[in-house]
Amino acid sequence: MKLIGSFQSEFWGRVDVKRAAYGGAGGPTAIVLTLKDGALLGKLSVNISCQECSHDSKYLPPDCFYVKTWSENETIASEALASGLFVQRDDLKKDESGFVSAPVWQIKTAWSNP
């Protein structure tokens, strides 16, 4: 995993943001959150790869991912976006899966206007 950066969470303190890949090198971007002691906090990304879904993570542009903004990620996702490490890609369609909608974010250091 590669460290992208860190941000301060009101509840968790310093959160380190790391980039990985689903399914190994070359797979869709995965974003992992860890605490300053290295303990796993959770995944910010969600891997969309099913026939019932409207999209698939493997077809996103490089450095883009579907973000889980619901349930236990609701607060941490808003803090992560506010950190400036990511940009929301409104030009790319959200994935609509069941009762949830996953927007696309891109790692800001990789951002260039589409």
Side-chain angles (χ1 to χ4, degrees), residues 11-27:
F11 183 80
W12 296 103
R14 190 185 88 205
V15 175
D16 291 331
V17 180
K18 299 177 181 177
R19 181 182 180 177
Y22 289 105

Side-chain angles (χ1 to χ4, degrees), residues 5-9 12-16 34-38 41:
S6 301
F7 65 89
Q8 194 66 26
S9 167
W12 296 103
R14 190 185 88 205
V15 175
D16 291 331
T34 61
L35 300 176
K36 68 179 183 178
D37 64 1
L41 178 57

Side-chain angles (χ1 to χ4, degrees), residues 45-58:
S45 60
V46 60
N47 190 21
I48 305 294
S49 62
C50 61
Q51 293 178 344
E52 300 84 27
C53 304
S54 60
H55 296 84
D56 193 309
S57 295
K58 67 183 176 185

